mmCIF file of all heavy atoms in Angstrom:
data_model
loop_
_atom_site.group_PDB
_atom_site.id
_atom_site.type_symbol
_atom_site.label_atom_id
_atom_site.label_comp_id
_atom_site.label_asym_id
_atom_site.label_seq_id
_atom_site.Cartn_x
_atom_site.Cartn_y
_atom_site.Cartn_z
ATOM 1 N N THR A 1008 0.806 -1.213 -0.040
ATOM 2 C CA THR A 1008 -0.047 0.020 0.032
ATOM 3 C C THR A 1008 0.883 1.288 -0.017
ATOM 4 O O THR A 1008 1.949 1.279 0.719
ATOM 5 C CB THR A 1008 -0.831 -0.028 1.276
ATOM 6 O OG1 THR A 1008 -1.697 -1.208 1.253
ATOM 7 C CG2 THR A 1008 -1.767 1.176 1.363
ATOM 8 N N ILE A 1009 0.430 2.306 -0.699
ATOM 9 C CA ILE A 1009 1.092 3.562 -0.635
ATOM 10 C C ILE A 1009 0.418 4.375 0.492
ATOM 11 O O ILE A 1009 -0.824 4.378 0.621
ATOM 12 C CB ILE A 1009 0.948 4.278 -1.966
ATOM 13 C CG1 ILE A 1009 1.638 3.539 -3.126
ATOM 14 C CG2 ILE A 1009 1.455 5.794 -1.827
ATOM 15 C CD1 ILE A 1009 1.297 4.071 -4.512
ATOM 16 N N ILE A 1010 1.270 4.911 1.394
ATOM 17 C CA ILE A 1010 0.682 5.662 2.522
ATOM 18 C C ILE A 1010 1.014 7.129 2.458
ATOM 19 O O ILE A 1010 2.196 7.489 2.239
ATOM 20 C CB ILE A 1010 1.352 5.036 3.846
ATOM 21 C CG1 ILE A 1010 0.960 3.664 3.924
ATOM 22 C CG2 ILE A 1010 0.856 5.930 4.992
ATOM 23 C CD1 ILE A 1010 1.655 2.918 5.112
ATOM 24 N N PHE A 1011 0.008 7.909 2.533
ATOM 25 C CA PHE A 1011 0.130 9.432 2.631
ATOM 26 C C PHE A 1011 -0.338 9.685 4.185
ATOM 27 O O PHE A 1011 -1.414 9.515 4.511
ATOM 28 C CB PHE A 1011 -0.897 10.160 1.673
ATOM 29 C CG PHE A 1011 -0.573 9.979 0.294
ATOM 30 C CD1 PHE A 1011 -1.150 8.813 -0.385
ATOM 31 C CD2 PHE A 1011 0.220 10.790 -0.485
ATOM 32 C CE1 PHE A 1011 -0.858 8.697 -1.835
ATOM 33 C CE2 PHE A 1011 0.432 10.727 -1.785
ATOM 34 C CZ PHE A 1011 -0.128 9.581 -2.462
ATOM 35 N N ALA A 1012 0.652 10.251 4.879
ATOM 36 C CA ALA A 1012 0.322 10.504 6.277
ATOM 37 C C ALA A 1012 1.050 11.785 6.736
ATOM 38 O O ALA A 1012 1.966 12.380 6.073
ATOM 39 C CB ALA A 1012 0.729 9.344 7.168
ATOM 40 N N ALA A 1013 0.943 12.204 8.028
ATOM 41 C CA ALA A 1013 1.518 13.351 8.652
ATOM 42 C C ALA A 1013 2.495 12.798 9.652
ATOM 43 O O ALA A 1013 2.199 11.892 10.424
ATOM 44 C CB ALA A 1013 0.483 14.255 9.257
ATOM 45 N N ALA A 1014 3.661 13.495 9.724
ATOM 46 C CA ALA A 1014 4.646 13.179 10.831
ATOM 47 C C ALA A 1014 3.973 13.579 12.118
ATOM 48 O O ALA A 1014 4.271 12.772 13.116
ATOM 49 C CB ALA A 1014 5.901 14.037 10.535
ATOM 50 N N ASP A 1015 3.283 14.514 12.235
ATOM 51 C CA ASP A 1015 2.579 15.022 13.479
ATOM 52 C C ASP A 1015 1.094 14.845 13.268
ATOM 53 O O ASP A 1015 0.423 15.638 12.558
ATOM 54 C CB ASP A 1015 2.891 16.464 13.738
ATOM 55 C CG ASP A 1015 2.218 16.883 15.028
ATOM 56 O OD1 ASP A 1015 1.229 16.443 15.377
ATOM 57 O OD2 ASP A 1015 2.800 17.922 15.629
ATOM 58 N N THR A 1016 0.456 13.745 13.730
ATOM 59 C CA THR A 1016 -0.874 13.435 13.548
ATOM 60 C C THR A 1016 -1.843 14.455 14.151
ATOM 61 O O THR A 1016 -2.973 14.516 13.707
ATOM 62 C CB THR A 1016 -1.180 11.958 13.996
ATOM 63 O OG1 THR A 1016 -0.979 11.931 15.400
ATOM 64 C CG2 THR A 1016 -0.347 10.989 13.257
ATOM 65 N N THR A 1017 -1.396 15.278 15.079
ATOM 66 C CA THR A 1017 -2.286 16.236 15.677
ATOM 67 C C THR A 1017 -2.355 17.470 14.756
ATOM 68 O O THR A 1017 -3.466 17.967 14.445
ATOM 69 C CB THR A 1017 -1.654 16.696 17.079
ATOM 70 O OG1 THR A 1017 -1.568 15.628 17.904
ATOM 71 C CG2 THR A 1017 -2.594 17.742 17.584
ATOM 72 N N LEU A 1018 -1.316 17.855 14.142
ATOM 73 C CA LEU A 1018 -1.380 18.969 13.146
ATOM 74 C C LEU A 1018 -1.874 18.492 11.799
ATOM 75 O O LEU A 1018 -2.473 19.229 11.059
ATOM 76 C CB LEU A 1018 0.069 19.600 13.026
ATOM 77 C CG LEU A 1018 0.532 20.440 14.153
ATOM 78 C CD1 LEU A 1018 1.958 20.939 13.827
ATOM 79 C CD2 LEU A 1018 -0.415 21.597 14.447
ATOM 80 N N GLY A 1019 -1.521 17.346 11.415
ATOM 81 C CA GLY A 1019 -1.842 16.724 10.140
ATOM 82 C C GLY A 1019 -1.132 17.411 8.955
ATOM 83 O O GLY A 1019 -0.171 18.066 9.109
ATOM 84 N N TRP A 1020 -1.710 17.043 7.812
ATOM 85 C CA TRP A 1020 -1.231 17.628 6.598
ATOM 86 C C TRP A 1020 -2.458 18.083 5.743
ATOM 87 O O TRP A 1020 -3.552 17.926 6.277
ATOM 88 C CB TRP A 1020 -0.431 16.612 5.721
ATOM 89 C CG TRP A 1020 -1.139 15.302 5.280
ATOM 90 C CD1 TRP A 1020 -1.754 14.353 6.115
ATOM 91 C CD2 TRP A 1020 -1.517 14.854 4.046
ATOM 92 N NE1 TRP A 1020 -2.328 13.376 5.337
ATOM 93 C CE2 TRP A 1020 -2.274 13.769 4.022
ATOM 94 C CE3 TRP A 1020 -1.288 15.479 2.685
ATOM 95 C CZ2 TRP A 1020 -2.770 13.028 2.962
ATOM 96 C CZ3 TRP A 1020 -1.746 14.788 1.544
ATOM 97 C CH2 TRP A 1020 -2.406 13.642 1.722
ATOM 98 N N ARG A 1021 -2.399 18.687 4.643
ATOM 99 C CA ARG A 1021 -3.539 19.401 4.063
ATOM 100 C C ARG A 1021 -4.122 18.585 2.869
ATOM 101 O O ARG A 1021 -4.966 19.163 2.110
ATOM 102 C CB ARG A 1021 -3.110 20.815 3.569
ATOM 103 C CG ARG A 1021 -2.770 21.714 4.690
ATOM 104 C CD ARG A 1021 -3.989 22.026 5.549
ATOM 105 N NE ARG A 1021 -3.708 22.832 6.756
ATOM 106 C CZ ARG A 1021 -3.440 22.326 7.930
ATOM 107 N NH1 ARG A 1021 -3.562 21.082 8.178
ATOM 108 N NH2 ARG A 1021 -3.174 23.203 8.936
ATOM 109 N N GLY A 1022 -3.777 17.291 2.704
ATOM 110 C CA GLY A 1022 -4.436 16.495 1.738
ATOM 111 C C GLY A 1022 -4.085 16.733 0.260
ATOM 112 O O GLY A 1022 -3.135 17.429 -0.038
ATOM 113 N N ILE A 1023 -4.698 15.903 -0.615
ATOM 114 C CA ILE A 1023 -4.399 15.996 -2.011
ATOM 115 C C ILE A 1023 -5.476 16.825 -2.607
ATOM 116 O O ILE A 1023 -6.728 16.644 -2.337
ATOM 117 C CB ILE A 1023 -4.502 14.599 -2.644
ATOM 118 C CG1 ILE A 1023 -3.335 13.675 -2.037
ATOM 119 C CG2 ILE A 1023 -4.293 14.711 -4.217
ATOM 120 C CD1 ILE A 1023 -3.413 12.292 -2.474
ATOM 121 N N ARG A 1024 -5.099 17.931 -3.407
ATOM 122 C CA ARG A 1024 -6.028 18.908 -3.867
ATOM 123 C C ARG A 1024 -6.040 18.844 -5.419
ATOM 124 O O ARG A 1024 -5.004 19.008 -6.094
ATOM 125 C CB ARG A 1024 -5.637 20.181 -3.409
ATOM 126 C CG ARG A 1024 -5.419 20.205 -1.954
ATOM 127 C CD ARG A 1024 -6.465 21.031 -1.327
ATOM 128 N NE ARG A 1024 -6.475 20.741 0.156
ATOM 129 C CZ ARG A 1024 -7.639 20.298 0.760
ATOM 130 N NH1 ARG A 1024 -8.721 20.147 0.152
ATOM 131 N NH2 ARG A 1024 -7.590 20.075 2.036
ATOM 132 N N PHE A 1025 -7.147 18.771 -6.034
ATOM 133 C CA PHE A 1025 -7.395 18.981 -7.473
ATOM 134 C C PHE A 1025 -8.283 20.241 -7.694
ATOM 135 O O PHE A 1025 -9.507 20.144 -7.411
ATOM 136 C CB PHE A 1025 -8.065 17.757 -8.115
ATOM 137 C CG PHE A 1025 -7.287 16.484 -8.025
ATOM 138 C CD1 PHE A 1025 -7.298 15.689 -6.973
ATOM 139 C CD2 PHE A 1025 -6.549 16.117 -9.102
ATOM 140 C CE1 PHE A 1025 -6.620 14.444 -6.845
ATOM 141 C CE2 PHE A 1025 -5.877 14.894 -9.096
ATOM 142 C CZ PHE A 1025 -5.901 14.101 -7.987
ATOM 143 N N TYR A 1026 -7.709 21.366 -7.925
ATOM 144 C CA TYR A 1026 -8.480 22.587 -8.096
ATOM 145 C C TYR A 1026 -8.360 23.003 -9.558
ATOM 146 O O TYR A 1026 -7.282 23.485 -9.908
ATOM 147 C CB TYR A 1026 -7.978 23.767 -7.198
ATOM 148 C CG TYR A 1026 -8.147 23.480 -5.709
ATOM 149 C CD1 TYR A 1026 -7.250 23.985 -4.856
ATOM 150 C CD2 TYR A 1026 -9.231 22.869 -5.201
ATOM 151 C CE1 TYR A 1026 -7.324 23.788 -3.454
ATOM 152 C CE2 TYR A 1026 -9.412 22.719 -3.860
ATOM 153 C CZ TYR A 1026 -8.401 23.187 -2.953
ATOM 154 O OH TYR A 1026 -8.589 22.955 -1.605
ATOM 155 N N ASN A 1027 -9.467 22.936 -10.282
ATOM 156 C CA ASN A 1027 -9.503 23.404 -11.691
ATOM 157 C C ASN A 1027 -8.382 22.752 -12.474
ATOM 158 O O ASN A 1027 -7.805 23.363 -13.422
ATOM 159 C CB ASN A 1027 -9.397 24.939 -11.724
ATOM 160 C CG ASN A 1027 -10.573 25.568 -11.026
ATOM 161 O OD1 ASN A 1027 -11.693 25.256 -11.235
ATOM 162 N ND2 ASN A 1027 -10.221 26.519 -10.076
ATOM 163 N N THR A 1028 -8.009 21.516 -12.183
ATOM 164 C CA THR A 1028 -7.019 20.782 -13.029
ATOM 165 C C THR A 1028 -7.604 20.675 -14.436
ATOM 166 O O THR A 1028 -8.809 20.337 -14.585
ATOM 167 C CB THR A 1028 -6.770 19.462 -12.355
ATOM 168 O OG1 THR A 1028 -6.339 19.671 -11.008
ATOM 169 C CG2 THR A 1028 -5.734 18.677 -13.201
ATOM 170 N N LEU A 1029 -6.844 20.890 -15.421
ATOM 171 C CA LEU A 1029 -7.320 20.859 -16.865
ATOM 172 C C LEU A 1029 -7.722 19.482 -17.176
ATOM 173 O O LEU A 1029 -6.961 18.498 -16.942
ATOM 174 C CB LEU A 1029 -6.291 21.469 -17.740
ATOM 175 C CG LEU A 1029 -6.028 22.943 -17.639
ATOM 176 C CD1 LEU A 1029 -4.917 23.321 -18.583
ATOM 177 C CD2 LEU A 1029 -7.182 23.785 -17.742
ATOM 178 N N SER A 1030 -8.840 19.297 -17.855
ATOM 179 C CA SER A 1030 -9.304 18.001 -18.364
ATOM 180 C C SER A 1030 -8.503 17.436 -19.457
ATOM 181 O O SER A 1030 -8.635 16.341 -19.965
ATOM 182 C CB SER A 1030 -10.734 18.013 -18.650
ATOM 183 O OG SER A 1030 -10.956 18.862 -19.775
ATOM 184 N N THR A 1031 -7.568 18.231 -20.043
ATOM 185 C CA THR A 1031 -6.687 17.789 -21.159
ATOM 186 C C THR A 1031 -5.567 16.859 -20.580
ATOM 187 O O THR A 1031 -4.995 16.229 -21.328
ATOM 188 C CB THR A 1031 -6.086 18.969 -21.838
ATOM 189 O OG1 THR A 1031 -5.470 19.840 -20.925
ATOM 190 C CG2 THR A 1031 -7.138 19.699 -22.616
ATOM 191 N N ASN A 1032 -5.391 16.858 -19.293
ATOM 192 C CA ASN A 1032 -4.415 15.910 -18.639
ATOM 193 C C ASN A 1032 -4.976 14.539 -18.571
ATOM 194 O O ASN A 1032 -6.225 14.342 -18.542
ATOM 195 C CB ASN A 1032 -4.054 16.341 -17.245
ATOM 196 C CG ASN A 1032 -3.170 17.624 -17.277
ATOM 197 O OD1 ASN A 1032 -2.045 17.634 -17.791
ATOM 198 N ND2 ASN A 1032 -3.727 18.765 -16.702
ATOM 199 N N ASP A 1033 -4.096 13.563 -18.557
ATOM 200 C CA ASP A 1033 -4.564 12.175 -18.441
ATOM 201 C C ASP A 1033 -5.203 11.981 -16.978
ATOM 202 O O ASP A 1033 -4.919 12.821 -16.104
ATOM 203 C CB ASP A 1033 -3.373 11.147 -18.520
ATOM 204 C CG ASP A 1033 -2.891 10.969 -19.931
ATOM 205 O OD1 ASP A 1033 -3.686 11.253 -20.834
ATOM 206 O OD2 ASP A 1033 -1.747 10.644 -20.136
ATOM 207 N N SER A 1034 -6.016 10.991 -16.825
ATOM 208 C CA SER A 1034 -6.709 10.725 -15.578
ATOM 209 C C SER A 1034 -5.766 10.383 -14.462
ATOM 210 O O SER A 1034 -4.706 9.682 -14.586
ATOM 211 C CB SER A 1034 -7.623 9.566 -15.743
ATOM 212 O OG SER A 1034 -8.699 9.849 -16.585
ATOM 213 N N SER A 1035 -5.939 10.995 -13.276
ATOM 214 C CA SER A 1035 -5.163 10.660 -12.093
ATOM 215 C C SER A 1035 -5.752 9.414 -11.478
ATOM 216 O O SER A 1035 -6.973 9.217 -11.527
ATOM 217 C CB SER A 1035 -5.205 11.863 -11.081
ATOM 218 O OG SER A 1035 -4.357 12.872 -11.570
ATOM 219 N N LYS A 1036 -4.864 8.601 -10.944
ATOM 220 C CA LYS A 1036 -5.332 7.357 -10.230
ATOM 221 C C LYS A 1036 -4.736 7.217 -8.895
ATOM 222 O O LYS A 1036 -3.519 7.279 -8.775
ATOM 223 C CB LYS A 1036 -4.905 6.100 -11.222
ATOM 224 C CG LYS A 1036 -5.682 6.175 -12.480
ATOM 225 C CD LYS A 1036 -5.335 4.906 -13.367
ATOM 226 C CE LYS A 1036 -6.174 5.083 -14.572
ATOM 227 N NZ LYS A 1036 -5.376 5.040 -15.795
ATOM 228 N N ILE A 1037 -5.588 6.976 -7.925
ATOM 229 C CA ILE A 1037 -5.199 6.706 -6.532
ATOM 230 C C ILE A 1037 -5.771 5.276 -6.235
ATOM 231 O O ILE A 1037 -7.030 5.172 -6.046
ATOM 232 C CB ILE A 1037 -5.693 7.828 -5.650
ATOM 233 C CG1 ILE A 1037 -5.043 9.117 -6.037
ATOM 234 C CG2 ILE A 1037 -5.295 7.429 -4.141
ATOM 235 C CD1 ILE A 1037 -5.620 10.361 -5.379
ATOM 236 N N SER A 1038 -4.983 4.335 -6.065
ATOM 237 C CA SER A 1038 -5.524 2.941 -5.766
ATOM 238 C C SER A 1038 -4.559 2.286 -4.796
ATOM 239 O O SER A 1038 -3.329 2.363 -4.850
ATOM 240 C CB SER A 1038 -5.561 2.147 -7.092
ATOM 241 O OG SER A 1038 -6.188 1.004 -6.975
ATOM 242 N N TYR A 1039 -5.196 1.458 -3.895
ATOM 243 C CA TYR A 1039 -4.516 0.835 -2.845
ATOM 244 C C TYR A 1039 -3.556 1.720 -2.103
ATOM 245 O O TYR A 1039 -2.334 1.461 -1.970
ATOM 246 C CB TYR A 1039 -3.704 -0.501 -3.397
ATOM 247 C CG TYR A 1039 -4.599 -1.490 -3.860
ATOM 248 C CD1 TYR A 1039 -4.909 -1.676 -5.186
ATOM 249 C CD2 TYR A 1039 -5.241 -2.361 -2.959
ATOM 250 C CE1 TYR A 1039 -5.729 -2.698 -5.670
ATOM 251 C CE2 TYR A 1039 -6.113 -3.352 -3.400
ATOM 252 C CZ TYR A 1039 -6.332 -3.558 -4.763
ATOM 253 O OH TYR A 1039 -7.233 -4.497 -5.179
#
């Protein structure tokens, strides 16, 4: 499994953000 996590679980991290990503790009895939 690929793990996205925070070193400090209390403060956390700000996540994965797709804001107005152009649809001309290939599809992004997040699996397992």
